[in-house]
Amino acid sequence: QVQLVESGGGSVQAGGTLRLSCARSGFVYTTYCISWFRQTPGNEREGLAAIDREGRTRYNNRVEGRVTISRDNTENVVYLQIDDLRSEDSATYTCAADRIGINHGLNRLWYGVWGRGTQVTVS
């Protein structure tokens, strides 16, 4: 069974740094493009960052410079680090995976595998 499990969320102070993890099971991670999305109540999921099997990345302009996506293929984990956290970063963060090109990496409609999400609250 294909699964993604996020971890690392919680309550953090503004200005701090948080690293989220997305662990997989049930499929070969290295062949997939992995992306991080976030969502707040009443809003659509927003793509933040994506990384493909070659390690190429794509970032949302709104967070570029504060967000870093990386992958550890040995451990089958993809990380999202968020620096200089702000109150508007409070959201549910979810990772997604699919066999797509990096050009579609931030488009939620292209992903078929989703985790359940982890909550981040910045105060």
Side-chain angles (χ1 to χ4, degrees), residues 9-119:
S11 297
V12 293
Q13 291 189 338
T17 294
L18 196 66
R19 191 174 80 159
L20 306 176
S21 299
C22 175
R24 69 86 177 167
S25 64
F27 63 96
V28 181
Y29 223 22
T30 54
T31 65
Y32 280 66
C33 183
I34 312 296
S35 182
W36 280 95
F37 292 79
R38 70 182 178 189
Q39 187 175 25
T40 54
N43 295 307
E44 292 185 349
R45 277 174 174 163
E46 175 185 34
L48 301 176
I51 187 167
D52 71 4
R53 57 186 177 181
E54 281 84 25
R56 291 175 296 198
T57 58
R58 173 157 287 199
Y59 292 97
N60 186 322
N61 289 339
R62 292 182 56 189
V63 296
E64 192 167 14
R66 294 196 301 121
V67 168
T68 304
I69 190 170
S70 60
R71 66 192 301 166
D72 183 336
N73 290 335
T74 302
E75 299 295 330
N76 297 311
V77 180
V78 170
Y79 302 100
L80 183 74
Q81 179 168 313
I82 312 170
D83 300 318
D84 188 24
L85 283 159
R86 306 166 183 173
S87 58
E88 54 262 39
D89 293 321
S90 296
T92 299
Y93 286 73
T94 307
C95 60
D98 218 313
R99 290 178 176 174
I100 61 174
I102 192 66
N103 288 341
H104 304 292
L106 298 182
N107 189 332
R108 61 184 174 83
L109 299 178
W110 283 83
Y111 287 92
V113 181
W114 292 85
R116 292 190 174 185
T118 184
Q119 181 66 37

